[in-house]
């Protein structure tokens, strides 16, 4: 169908755009086929028949979780640790992001494009490394201090938040900013009074989304020994106590549900038209008050001491690690291992995103809330959303260990584990995109006698293709970092190599592997951005 916007574009430009889209589509098909082949799907048997019994015991334990009061008390205490890490890590990330946004905004740099590119490039390093990697590095500097969990979330999230905040500030009208600059105000003051009020809604909405993500990151850090529900989950899984595993999973799901509901309420309130009456919005005021109270409680609960960051031991360890890691190793054997594991990492991320995108498209219609739906449809939708919540509540390494019951070791279990986890996230995002899409084409087809499936296929899917592919490309950028997490716990990819080098305290090799991870993440970011531009 030709839209008004399409008719406004010259035929030559439309042809060039269509050719770019076909080129990107063909590239995606070739890359997916190569990734599936690299994961071993076409090279022989991938099933492990001997693990089916253990998988059955794991699955049936979901119906009888451990409800012993003593264990429930342990889980409750672990949940408090997870919440404290998430609140402080996410809160500090927002502070770092707000400060960093002023440094990487296009308006701050004006026409000095080289300075802007250099500032954005600096953020590629902290956001290119997964929070679990930061946790392992910080443990070697700070030891088992609570600051490890907080900073491991704050550093990469702060870099991501700075980029997003800067983009939001660049999108708002700049008339007020330019007027203040012309009146002699500094760049910071002009941004504070000329840009911030217009971007406040988007900034607040994204801030609460980041706090939701911080809960899942705090769980991940528990898997590498930082405490909390992730640590308890790892202990129960290692001892094959499946009932305890499921109790912990349900606790994770409850935390994620609370974060999702709270964040969703705030984002809806921000998106709603402003109230004509005077005064503050009670929902937003209450939400901000709760966050402030949680920050104060978390500081008390974790007993953080700023002195730990500048102690003599921390300075000595930082100096030792930095000097030992420079210069990075250039051994041929290491570079060959880096190249091989980087290819595996790329294959894992592609398979994960393809699996997640296909699953999200299949479940999107049910995951979306449908106004006026009957009780059966509402119950089915609630069940699908609950399943998606549990999929994203459980960290990818745990899904990899579960899949190793029925799959042979290799890249495929790690890729499918990431796919399951990413499906939980992408399914929710695509469901929300369906809720926000125009329903009139579907309703017109239904009124004309089309079936529900036909109305969905012809009335909804074409309009959702662009947004869904854009979301999938964004999740690919995230998945390339999550593959490192899966690898750190032995499920394949470059994370395996990084874990081995850190365990051997081979710091020059660690520096080389970290550099490769940053370059790989940056390359995927660039490719994904180019692909999104071709879809516009």
């Amino acid at each position: 169908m030709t839209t008004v916007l399409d008719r406004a574009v010259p035929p030559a430009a439309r042809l060039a755009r269509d050719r770019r889209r076909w080129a990107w589509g063909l590239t995606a098909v070739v890359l997916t086929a190569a990734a599936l082949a690299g994961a071993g799907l076409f090279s022989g048997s991938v099933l492990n028949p001997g693990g089916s019994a253990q998988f059955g015991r794991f699955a049936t334990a979901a119906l009888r979780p451990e409800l012993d009061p003593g264990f429930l008390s342990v889980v409750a205490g672990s949940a408090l640790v997870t919440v404290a890490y998430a609140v402080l890590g996410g809160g500090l990330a927002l502070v770092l992001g707000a400060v960093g946004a002023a440094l990487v905004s296009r308006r701050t740099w004006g026409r000095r494009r080289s300075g802007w590119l250099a500032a954005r490039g600096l953020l590629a390093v902290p956001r290119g490394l997964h929070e679990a990697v930061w946790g392992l590095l910080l443990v070697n500097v700070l030891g088992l201090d609570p600051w490890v969990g907080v900073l491991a979330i704050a550093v990469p999230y702060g870099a991501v938040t700075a980029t997003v905040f800067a983009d939001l500030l660049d999108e708002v009208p700049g008339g007020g900013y330019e007027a203040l600059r012309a009146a002699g105000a500094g760049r910071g003051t002009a941004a504070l009074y000329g840009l911030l009020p217009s971007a406040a809604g988007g900034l607040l909405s994204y801030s609460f989304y980041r706090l939701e993500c911080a809960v899942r990151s705090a769980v991940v850090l528990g898997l590498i020994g930082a405490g909390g529900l992730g640590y308890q989950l790892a202990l129960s899984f290692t001892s094959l106590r499946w009932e305890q595993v499921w109790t912990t999973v349900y606790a994770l799901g409850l935390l994620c549900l609370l974060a999702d509901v709270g964040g969703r309420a705030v984002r809806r309130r921000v998106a709603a038209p402003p109230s004509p009456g005077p005064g503050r919005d009670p929902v937003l005021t209450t939400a901000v008050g709760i966050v402030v109270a949680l920050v104060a409680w978390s500081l008390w609960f974790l007993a953080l001491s700023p002195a730990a960051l500048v102690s003599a031991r921390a300075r000595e360890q930082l100096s030792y690690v930095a000097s030992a890691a420079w210069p990075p190793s250039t051994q041929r054997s290491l570079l060959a291992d880096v190249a091989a594991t980087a290819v595996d990492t790329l294959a894992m991320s592609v398979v994960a995103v393809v699996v997640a995108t296909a699953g999200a498209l299949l479940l999107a219609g049910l995951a979306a809330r449908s106004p006026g739906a009957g009780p059966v449809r509402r119950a089915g939708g609630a069940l699908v959303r609950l399943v998606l919540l549990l999929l994203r509540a459980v960290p990818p390494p745990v899904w990899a260990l579960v899949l190793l019951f029925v799959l042979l070791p290799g890249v495929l279990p790690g890729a499918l584990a990431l796919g399951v986890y990413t499906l939980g996230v992408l399914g929710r995002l695509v469901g929300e995109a369906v809720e926000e899409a125009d329903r009139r084409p579907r309703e017109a087809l239904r009124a004309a006698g089309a079936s529900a499936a036909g109305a969905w296929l012809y009335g909804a899917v074409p309009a959702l293709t662009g947004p869904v592919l854009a979301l999938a490309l964004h999740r690919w950028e995230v998945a390339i970092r999550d593959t490192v997490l899966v690898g750190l716990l032995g499920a394949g990819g470059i994370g395996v190599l990084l874990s081995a080098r850190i365990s051997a305290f081979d710091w020059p090799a660690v520096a080389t592997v970290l550099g490769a991870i940053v370059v790989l993440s940056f390359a995927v970011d660039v490719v994904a951005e180019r692909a999104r531009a071709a879809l516009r």
Side-chain angles (χ1 to χ4, degrees), residues 169-202:
L169 292 176
D170 290 340
E171 289 296 324
V172 300
Y177 174 83
E178 298 298 338
L180 288 170
R181 287 288 292 149
R187 294 185 185 275
T189 303
L192 181 64
Y193 293 101
L195 298 177
L196 187 60
S198 300

PDB file of all heavy atoms in Angstrom, residues 169-202:
ATOM      1  N   LEU A 169      17.298  14.842  24.999  1.00  0.00           N
ATOM      2  CA  LEU A 169      17.510  16.295  25.038  1.00  0.00           C
ATOM      3  C   LEU A 169      17.679  16.870  23.640  1.00  0.00           C
ATOM      4  O   LEU A 169      17.250  17.995  23.359  1.00  0.00           O
ATOM      5  CB  LEU A 169      18.736  16.619  25.890  1.00  0.00           C
ATOM      6  CG  LEU A 169      18.619  16.354  27.391  1.00  0.00           C
ATOM      7  CD1 LEU A 169      19.945  16.627  28.086  1.00  0.00           C
ATOM      8  CD2 LEU A 169      17.518  17.213  28.012  1.00  0.00           C
ATOM      9  N   ASP A 170      18.312  16.096  22.754  1.00  0.00           N
ATOM     10  CA  ASP A 170      18.520  16.585  21.383  1.00  0.00           C
ATOM     11  C   ASP A 170      17.230  16.612  20.577  1.00  0.00           C
ATOM     12  O   ASP A 170      17.138  17.333  19.577  1.00  0.00           O
ATOM     13  CB  ASP A 170      19.551  15.702  20.668  1.00  0.00           C
ATOM     14  CG  ASP A 170      20.960  15.891  21.220  1.00  0.00           C
ATOM     15  OD1 ASP A 170      21.205  16.935  21.850  1.00  0.00           O
ATOM     16  OD2 ASP A 170      21.797  14.994  21.035  1.00  0.00           O
ATOM     17  N   GLU A 171      16.234  15.802  20.989  1.00  0.00           N
ATOM     18  CA  GLU A 171      14.992  15.711  20.228  1.00  0.00           C
ATOM     19  C   GLU A 171      14.008  16.834  20.549  1.00  0.00           C
ATOM     20  O   GLU A 171      13.120  17.120  19.754  1.00  0.00           O
ATOM     21  CB  GLU A 171      14.319  14.357  20.484  1.00  0.00           C
ATOM     22  CG  GLU A 171      15.039  13.165  19.867  1.00  0.00           C
ATOM     23  CD  GLU A 171      15.063  13.215  18.349  1.00  0.00           C
ATOM     24  OE1 GLU A 171      14.074  13.672  17.759  1.00  0.00           O
ATOM     25  OE2 GLU A 171      16.079  12.817  17.756  1.00  0.00           O
ATOM     26  N   VAL A 172      14.120  17.451  21.731  1.00  0.00           N
ATOM     27  CA  VAL A 172      13.137  18.468  22.112  1.00  0.00           C
ATOM     28  C   VAL A 172      13.454  19.779  21.392  1.00  0.00           C
ATOM     29  O   VAL A 172      14.600  20.019  20.985  1.00  0.00           O
ATOM     30  CB  VAL A 172      13.132  18.691  23.641  1.00  0.00           C
ATOM     31  CG1 VAL A 172      12.797  17.408  24.354  1.00  0.00           C
ATOM     32  CG2 VAL A 172      14.469  19.236  24.125  1.00  0.00           C
ATOM     33  N   PRO A 173      12.451  20.652  21.204  1.00  0.00           N
ATOM     34  CA  PRO A 173      12.703  21.955  20.550  1.00  0.00           C
ATOM     35  C   PRO A 173      13.777  22.753  21.298  1.00  0.00           C
ATOM     36  O   PRO A 173      13.780  22.817  22.524  1.00  0.00           O
ATOM     37  CB  PRO A 173      11.335  22.651  20.618  1.00  0.00           C
ATOM     38  CG  PRO A 173      10.349  21.533  20.730  1.00  0.00           C
ATOM     39  CD  PRO A 173      11.026  20.456  21.525  1.00  0.00           C
ATOM     40  N   GLY A 174      14.680  23.354  20.545  1.00  0.00           N
ATOM     41  CA  GLY A 174      15.814  24.039  21.162  1.00  0.00           C
ATOM     42  C   GLY A 174      15.699  25.550  21.196  1.00  0.00           C
ATOM     43  O   GLY A 174      16.712  26.229  21.456  1.00  0.00           O
ATOM     44  N   GLY A 175      14.493  26.101  20.971  1.00  0.00           N
ATOM     45  CA  GLY A 175      14.357  27.553  20.966  1.00  0.00           C
ATOM     46  C   GLY A 175      14.727  28.187  22.295  1.00  0.00           C
ATOM     47  O   GLY A 175      15.452  29.196  22.347  1.00  0.00           O
ATOM     48  N   GLY A 176      14.248  27.607  23.401  1.00  0.00           N
ATOM     49  CA  GLY A 176      14.562  28.143  24.718  1.00  0.00           C
ATOM     50  C   GLY A 176      16.044  28.068  25.030  1.00  0.00           C
ATOM     51  O   GLY A 176      16.626  29.002  25.598  1.00  0.00           O
ATOM     52  N   TYR A 177      16.656  26.946  24.637  1.00  0.00           N
ATOM     53  CA  TYR A 177      18.101  26.777  24.872  1.00  0.00           C
ATOM     54  C   TYR A 177      18.891  27.835  24.108  1.00  0.00           C
ATOM     55  O   TYR A 177      19.790  28.479  24.671  1.00  0.00           O
ATOM     56  CB  TYR A 177      18.512  25.371  24.436  1.00  0.00           C
ATOM     57  CG  TYR A 177      20.004  25.113  24.493  1.00  0.00           C
ATOM     58  CD1 TYR A 177      20.615  24.748  25.683  1.00  0.00           C
ATOM     59  CD2 TYR A 177      20.789  25.213  23.343  1.00  0.00           C
ATOM     60  CE1 TYR A 177      21.990  24.507  25.731  1.00  0.00           C
ATOM     61  CE2 TYR A 177      22.145  24.978  23.382  1.00  0.00           C
ATOM     62  CZ  TYR A 177      22.743  24.622  24.579  1.00  0.00           C
ATOM     63  OH  TYR A 177      24.097  24.382  24.623  1.00  0.00           O
ATOM     64  N   GLU A 178      18.561  28.036  22.843  1.00  0.00           N
ATOM     65  CA  GLU A 178      19.297  29.000  22.028  1.00  0.00           C
ATOM     66  C   GLU A 178      19.090  30.422  22.550  1.00  0.00           C
ATOM     67  O   GLU A 178      20.023  31.244  22.539  1.00  0.00           O
ATOM     68  CB  GLU A 178      18.847  28.906  20.569  1.00  0.00           C
ATOM     69  CG  GLU A 178      19.114  27.560  19.911  1.00  0.00           C
ATOM     70  CD  GLU A 178      20.600  27.219  19.851  1.00  0.00           C
ATOM     71  OE1 GLU A 178      21.435  28.155  19.914  1.00  0.00           O
ATOM     72  OE2 GLU A 178      20.922  26.027  19.731  1.00  0.00           O
ATOM     73  N   ALA A 179      17.878  30.722  23.024  1.00  0.00           N
ATOM     74  CA  ALA A 179      17.612  32.067  23.552  1.00  0.00           C
ATOM     75  C   ALA A 179      18.444  32.325  24.806  1.00  0.00           C
ATOM     76  O   ALA A 179      18.994  33.425  24.978  1.00  0.00           O
ATOM     77  CB  ALA A 179      16.123  32.225  23.854  1.00  0.00           C
ATOM     78  N   LEU A 180      18.527  31.333  25.680  1.00  0.00           N
ATOM     79  CA  LEU A 180      19.327  31.505  26.894  1.00  0.00           C
ATOM     80  C   LEU A 180      20.809  31.635  26.567  1.00  0.00           C
ATOM     81  O   LEU A 180      21.533  32.412  27.199  1.00  0.00           O
ATOM     82  CB  LEU A 180      19.091  30.314  27.837  1.00  0.00           C
ATOM     83  CG  LEU A 180      17.714  30.285  28.524  1.00  0.00           C
ATOM     84  CD1 LEU A 180      17.496  28.949  29.225  1.00  0.00           C
ATOM     85  CD2 LEU A 180      17.603  31.423  29.532  1.00  0.00           C
ATOM     86  N   ARG A 181      21.277  30.869  25.570  1.00  0.00           N
ATOM     87  CA  ARG A 181      22.682  30.972  25.179  1.00  0.00           C
ATOM     88  C   ARG A 181      22.965  32.355  24.598  1.00  0.00           C
ATOM     89  O   ARG A 181      23.998  32.976  24.882  1.00  0.00           O
ATOM     90  CB  ARG A 181      23.010  29.903  24.138  1.00  0.00           C
ATOM     91  CG  ARG A 181      23.088  28.502  24.699  1.00  0.00           C
ATOM     92  CD  ARG A 181      24.329  28.306  25.546  1.00  0.00           C
ATOM     93  NE  ARG A 181      25.537  28.345  24.726  1.00  0.00           N
ATOM     94  CZ  ARG A 181      26.706  28.779  25.143  1.00  0.00           C
ATOM     95  NH1 ARG A 181      26.828  29.220  26.381  1.00  0.00           N
ATOM     96  NH2 ARG A 181      27.765  28.768  24.351  1.00  0.00           N
ATOM     97  N   ALA A 182      22.034  32.871  23.806  1.00  0.00           N
ATOM     98  CA  ALA A 182      22.214  34.193  23.215  1.00  0.00           C
ATOM     99  C   ALA A 182      22.204  35.288  24.282  1.00  0.00           C
ATOM    100  O   ALA A 182      22.830  36.340  24.118  1.00  0.00           O
ATOM    101  CB  ALA A 182      21.107  34.478  22.191  1.00  0.00           C
ATOM    102  N   ALA A 183      21.510  35.001  25.421  1.00  0.00           N
ATOM    103  CA  ALA A 183      21.459  35.976  26.510  1.00  0.00           C
ATOM    104  C   ALA A 183      22.680  35.903  27.414  1.00  0.00           C
ATOM    105  O   ALA A 183      22.768  36.658  28.386  1.00  0.00           O
ATOM    106  CB  ALA A 183      20.187  35.778  27.325  1.00  0.00           C
ATOM    107  N   GLY A 184      23.600  34.975  27.107  1.00  0.00           N
ATOM    108  CA  GLY A 184      24.830  34.881  27.887  1.00  0.00           C
ATOM    109  C   GLY A 184      24.883  33.745  28.880  1.00  0.00           C
ATOM    110  O   GLY A 184      25.873  33.618  29.613  1.00  0.00           O
ATOM    111  N   ALA A 185      23.848  32.901  28.961  1.00  0.00           N
ATOM    112  CA  ALA A 185      23.864  31.779  29.903  1.00  0.00           C
ATOM    113  C   ALA A 185      24.861  30.713  29.455  1.00  0.00           C
ATOM    114  O   ALA A 185      25.109  30.546  28.255  1.00  0.00           O
ATOM    115  CB  ALA A 185      22.465  31.177  30.017  1.00  0.00           C
ATOM    116  N   GLY A 186      25.434  30.001  30.406  1.00  0.00           N
ATOM    117  CA  GLY A 186      26.338  28.902  30.086  1.00  0.00           C
ATOM    118  C   GLY A 186      25.579  27.725  29.511  1.00  0.00           C
ATOM    119  O   GLY A 186      24.343  27.645  29.589  1.00  0.00           O
ATOM    120  N   ARG A 187      26.313  26.771  28.935  1.00  0.00           N
ATOM    121  CA  ARG A 187      25.664  25.620  28.304  1.00  0.00           C
ATOM    122  C   ARG A 187      24.882  24.802  29.326  1.00  0.00           C
ATOM    123  O   ARG A 187      23.776  24.330  29.045  1.00  0.00           O
ATOM    124  CB  ARG A 187      26.706  24.741  27.603  1.00  0.00           C
ATOM    125  CG  ARG A 187      27.382  25.429  26.420  1.00  0.00           C
ATOM    126  CD  ARG A 187      28.322  24.479  25.688  1.00  0.00           C
ATOM    127  NE  ARG A 187      29.042  25.176  24.631  1.00  0.00           N
ATOM    128  CZ  ARG A 187      28.571  25.362  23.404  1.00  0.00           C
ATOM    129  NH1 ARG A 187      27.382  24.882  23.097  1.00  0.00           N
ATOM    130  NH2 ARG A 187      29.287  26.013  22.501  1.00  0.00           N
ATOM    131  N   GLY A 188      25.462  24.571  30.506  1.00  0.00           N
ATOM    132  CA  GLY A 188      24.770  23.796  31.528  1.00  0.00           C
ATOM    133  C   GLY A 188      23.495  24.474  31.995  1.00  0.00           C
ATOM    134  O   GLY A 188      22.439  23.843  32.110  1.00  0.00           O
ATOM    135  N   THR A 189      23.562  25.777  32.267  1.00  0.00           N
ATOM    136  CA  THR A 189      22.379  26.516  32.700  1.00  0.00           C
ATOM    137  C   THR A 189      21.315  26.550  31.611  1.00  0.00           C
ATOM    138  O   THR A 189      20.118  26.380  31.882  1.00  0.00           O
ATOM    139  CB  THR A 189      22.778  27.955  33.079  1.00  0.00           C
ATOM    140  OG1 THR A 189      23.780  27.906  34.096  1.00  0.00           O
ATOM    141  CG2 THR A 189      21.579  28.738  33.573  1.00  0.00           C
ATOM    142  N   ALA A 190      21.749  26.750  30.375  1.00  0.00           N
ATOM    143  CA  ALA A 190      20.795  26.785  29.262  1.00  0.00           C
ATOM    144  C   ALA A 190      20.103  25.440  29.090  1.00  0.00           C
ATOM    145  O   ALA A 190      18.898  25.377  28.824  1.00  0.00           O
ATOM    146  CB  ALA A 190      21.509  27.184  27.979  1.00  0.00           C
ATOM    147  N   ALA A 191      20.861  24.352  29.240  1.00  0.00           N
ATOM    148  CA  ALA A 191      20.263  23.022  29.132  1.00  0.00           C
ATOM    149  C   ALA A 191      19.295  22.767  30.275  1.00  0.00           C
ATOM    150  O   ALA A 191      18.223  22.180  30.089  1.00  0.00           O
ATOM    151  CB  ALA A 191      21.354  21.955  29.119  1.00  0.00           C
ATOM    152  N   LEU A 192      19.647  23.212  31.489  1.00  0.00           N
ATOM    153  CA  LEU A 192      18.805  22.982  32.667  1.00  0.00           C
ATOM    154  C   LEU A 192      17.452  23.667  32.531  1.00  0.00           C
ATOM    155  O   LEU A 192      16.416  23.084  32.871  1.00  0.00           O
ATOM    156  CB  LEU A 192      19.538  23.471  33.914  1.00  0.00           C
ATOM    157  CG  LEU A 192      18.804  23.292  35.251  1.00  0.00           C
ATOM    158  CD1 LEU A 192      18.596  21.806  35.545  1.00  0.00           C
ATOM    159  CD2 LEU A 192      19.585  23.950  36.383  1.00  0.00           C
ATOM    160  N   TYR A 193      17.442  24.912  32.033  1.00  0.00           N
ATOM    161  CA  TYR A 193      16.195  25.674  31.972  1.00  0.00           C
ATOM    162  C   TYR A 193      15.560  25.685  30.582  1.00  0.00           C
ATOM    163  O   TYR A 193      14.351  25.936  30.462  1.00  0.00           O
ATOM    164  CB  TYR A 193      16.454  27.117  32.415  1.00  0.00           C
ATOM    165  CG  TYR A 193      16.820  27.221  33.873  1.00  0.00           C
ATOM    166  CD1 TYR A 193      18.148  27.377  34.273  1.00  0.00           C
ATOM    167  CD2 TYR A 193      15.844  27.159  34.867  1.00  0.00           C
ATOM    168  CE1 TYR A 193      18.499  27.473  35.607  1.00  0.00           C
ATOM    169  CE2 TYR A 193      16.178  27.235  36.203  1.00  0.00           C
ATOM    170  CZ  TYR A 193      17.509  27.397  36.583  1.00  0.00           C
ATOM    171  OH  TYR A 193      17.845  27.479  37.913  1.00  0.00           O
ATOM    172  N   GLY A 194      16.349  25.417  29.548  1.00  0.00           N
ATOM    173  CA  GLY A 194      15.811  25.501  28.199  1.00  0.00           C
ATOM    174  C   GLY A 194      15.443  24.163  27.576  1.00  0.00           C
ATOM    175  O   GLY A 194      14.638  24.113  26.646  1.00  0.00           O
ATOM    176  N   LEU A 195      16.040  23.062  28.070  1.00  0.00           N
ATOM    177  CA  LEU A 195      15.782  21.749  27.490  1.00  0.00           C
ATOM    178  C   LEU A 195      15.105  20.793  28.469  1.00  0.00           C
ATOM    179  O   LEU A 195      14.225  20.016  28.084  1.00  0.00           O
ATOM    180  CB  LEU A 195      17.104  21.121  27.015  1.00  0.00           C
ATOM    181  CG  LEU A 195      17.871  21.863  25.917  1.00  0.00           C
ATOM    182  CD1 LEU A 195      19.177  21.138  25.624  1.00  0.00           C
ATOM    183  CD2 LEU A 195      17.035  21.984  24.650  1.00  0.00           C
ATOM    184  N   LEU A 196      15.551  20.829  29.734  1.00  0.00           N
ATOM    185  CA  LEU A 196      15.083  19.834  30.702  1.00  0.00           C
ATOM    186  C   LEU A 196      13.572  19.837  30.891  1.00  0.00           C
ATOM    187  O   LEU A 196      12.957  18.761  30.924  1.00  0.00           O
ATOM    188  CB  LEU A 196      15.796  20.049  32.040  1.00  0.00           C
ATOM    189  CG  LEU A 196      15.544  18.983  33.104  1.00  0.00           C
ATOM    190  CD1 LEU A 196      15.995  17.618  32.598  1.00  0.00           C
ATOM    191  CD2 LEU A 196      16.270  19.337  34.400  1.00  0.00           C
ATOM    192  N   PRO A 197      12.896  21.002  31.041  1.00  0.00           N
ATOM    193  CA  PRO A 197      11.444  20.943  31.249  1.00  0.00           C
ATOM    194  C   PRO A 197      10.701  20.221  30.128  1.00  0.00           C
ATOM    195  O   PRO A 197       9.765  19.458  30.383  1.00  0.00           O
ATOM    196  CB  PRO A 197      11.050  22.427  31.323  1.00  0.00           C
ATOM    197  CG  PRO A 197      12.284  23.118  31.797  1.00  0.00           C
ATOM    198  CD  PRO A 197      13.410  22.381  31.133  1.00  0.00           C
ATOM    199  N   SER A 198      11.108  20.423  28.878  1.00  0.00           N
ATOM    200  CA  SER A 198      10.413  19.777  27.751  1.00  0.00           C
ATOM    201  C   SER A 198      10.683  18.281  27.691  1.00  0.00           C
ATOM    202  O   SER A 198       9.834  17.508  27.232  1.00  0.00           O
ATOM    203  CB  SER A 198      10.848  20.428  26.430  1.00  0.00           C
ATOM    204  OG  SER A 198      10.547  21.800  26.420  1.00  0.00           O
ATOM    205  N   ALA A 199      11.874  17.859  28.152  1.00  0.00           N
ATOM    206  CA  ALA A 199      12.249  16.446  28.073  1.00  0.00           C
ATOM    207  C   ALA A 199      11.957  15.700  29.363  1.00  0.00           C
ATOM    208  O   ALA A 199      12.245  14.501  29.450  1.00  0.00           O
ATOM    209  CB  ALA A 199      13.740  16.328  27.744  1.00  0.00           C
ATOM    210  N   ALA A 200      11.377  16.378  30.371  1.00  0.00           N
ATOM    211  CA  ALA A 200      11.228  15.774  31.700  1.00  0.00           C
ATOM    212  C   ALA A 200      10.399  14.494  31.665  1.00  0.00           C
ATOM    213  O   ALA A 200      10.720  13.514  32.343  1.00  0.00           O
ATOM    214  CB  ALA A 200      10.605  16.789  32.655  1.00  0.00           C
ATOM    215  N   GLY A 201       9.333  14.480  30.862  1.00  0.00           N
ATOM    216  CA  GLY A 201       8.481  13.292  30.811  1.00  0.00           C
ATOM    217  C   GLY A 201       9.218  12.074  30.301  1.00  0.00           C
ATOM    218  O   GLY A 201       9.174  11.003  30.915  1.00  0.00           O
ATOM    219  N   GLY A 202       9.920  12.234  29.181  1.00  0.00           N
ATOM    220  CA  GLY A 202      10.677  11.117  28.632  1.00  0.00           C
ATOM    221  C   GLY A 202      11.801  10.673  29.553  1.00  0.00           C
ATOM    222  O   GLY A 202      12.062   9.471  29.703  1.00  0.00           O
TER     223      GLY A 202
END
